[in-house]
Amino acid sequence: MADADYESILCVKPEVHVYRIPPRASNRGYRAADWKLDEPAWSGRLKITAKAKIAYIKLEDKNTGELFAQAPVEQYPGPAVEAVTDSSRYFVIKIEDGSGRHAFIGLGFADRGDSFDFNVALQDHFKWVKQEGELAKQAANQSSAPKLDLGFKEGQTIKISLGNIKKKDAAGAAKSRPAGSGLLPPPPGAKGGAILPPAGMPVSTPPTTVAPAQPSTGMLLDFGAPSAPTQPSQDLWGDFTAAGSGTTQEPVKSGWVQF
């Protein structure tokens, strides 16, 4: 179904009264006090619907829903709906029968809140109509305005300098890369600036050179005068001979060492 054929309901009031009104005597407006308010010509239900930009005030039988009269409203405030000068619960509406004939009747609400809802429903609808018209006008202006051509013409180029980005990337890479071609720095307290090899490589231990023992004069001073150094024996087998001598002395044969 097209939007133009869709009819929405804006407001429903279960009880309204219709009055016959006398002709307007002057341009001052209508007064509800001039009507016979205690003798309404008709009572029933009011329904406000909207179809496209036009609102319709429909007076229906509250039991059967049969249409009694309707007033198309193309603008509000306007000639189709007019408030009286002495009350906020009464209005004058212009009803039409669809054949070109029309009449003005008085419309009254029993409760002031119902008349307020009636007024707000019409105001909101035509506020929406106004906004829709402004949006449509803006869209038409934008479509008629010349469009900007932001594309590249034939032969046009664009140059982007990324020098600063390259320098920053190079500086960041230099800071993140450790010195020593991937080797870890020496641990704290290491002597001689030793460099540890990467994980997985065998560790070679340098040969240890034993320095000759130096006599400690400090220790000798604590125990008195130093004793004369013992001269090494010329006979390499003498120690073994002395060690082998016991209680029983046997002659040692020449050229043999007793064990």
Side-chain angles (χ1 to χ4, degrees):
M1 182 181 293
D3 293 341
D5 297 334
Y6 179 75
E7 186 175 18
S8 60
I9 299 175
L10 305 180
C11 179
V12 176
K13 293 301 173 182
E15 185 177 3
V16 294
H17 304 288
V18 173
Y19 302 93
R20 293 186 178 91
I21 59 176
R24 181 185 299 187
S26 63
N27 294 330
R28 293 182 304 172
Y30 294 96
R31 295 178 70 253
D34 299 335
W35 309 343
K36 296 179 180 181
L37 298 180
D38 55 345
E39 297 179 2
W42 180 87
S43 296
R45 179 178 63 195
L46 177 140
K47 181 187 296 184
I48 301 177
T49 63
K51 190 174 182 181
K53 297 181 180 181
I54 302 177
Y56 295 89
I57 301 173
K58 296 184 178 182
L59 303 175
E60 300 174 346
D61 187 276
K62 63 176 61 176
N63 296 321
T64 62
E66 182 182 358
L67 181 65
F68 171 75
Q70 72 174 3
V73 183
E74 298 182 0
Q75 62 178 358
Y76 183 78
V81 180
E82 185 178 352
V84 298
T85 59
D86 58 345
S87 176
S88 61
R89 296 190 294 117
Y90 298 93
F91 300 85
V92 175
I93 63 174
K94 179 182 178 181
I95 59 174
E96 298 181 4
D97 61 356
S99 61
R101 296 183 302 176
H102 67 273
F104 291 94
I105 60 175
L107 179 68
F109 295 90
D111 186 81
R112 199 176 302 275
D114 292 341
S115 64
F116 176 80
D117 294 341
F118 169 81
N119 193 20
V120 170
L122 292 174
Q123 288 179 352
D124 289 346
H125 171 71
F126 287 99
K127 185 184 297 183
W128 172 82
V129 171
K130 183 178 180 181
Q131 292 176 353
E132 288 291 319
E134 291 177 354
L135 292 176
K137 187 181 297 184
Q138 291 178 3
N141 293 335
Q142 291 178 358
S143 62
S144 61
K147 296 182 179 180
L148 295 176
D149 186 7
L150 301 178
F152 286 101
K153 302 298 187 297
E154 184 177 359
Q156 287 184 341
T157 59
I158 185 171
K159 183 178 180 182
I160 301 176
S161 176
L162 301 177
N164 294 333
I165 297 178
K166 291 182 178 179
K167 290 180 180 179
K168 291 180 180 179
D169 292 344
K175 290 181 180 179
S176 62
R177 182 170 59 248
S181 300
L183 299 180
L184 296 175
K191 296 181 180 180
I195 299 176
L196 297 178
M201 294 184 63
V203 180
S204 60
T205 305
T208 305
T209 305
V210 180
Q214 299 294 333
S216 176
T217 58
M219 296 297 294
L220 296 177
L221 291 176
D222 294 339
F223 294 93
S227 60
T230 304
Q231 297 293 331
S233 177
Q234 298 296 329
D235 188 3
L236 298 177
W237 303 98
D239 294 337
F240 292 97
T241 304
S245 60
T247 57
T248 305
Q249 299 291 333
E250 294 183 0
V252 180
K253 296 182 181 181
S254 176
W256 292 92
V257 179
Q258 185 178 358
F259 289 92

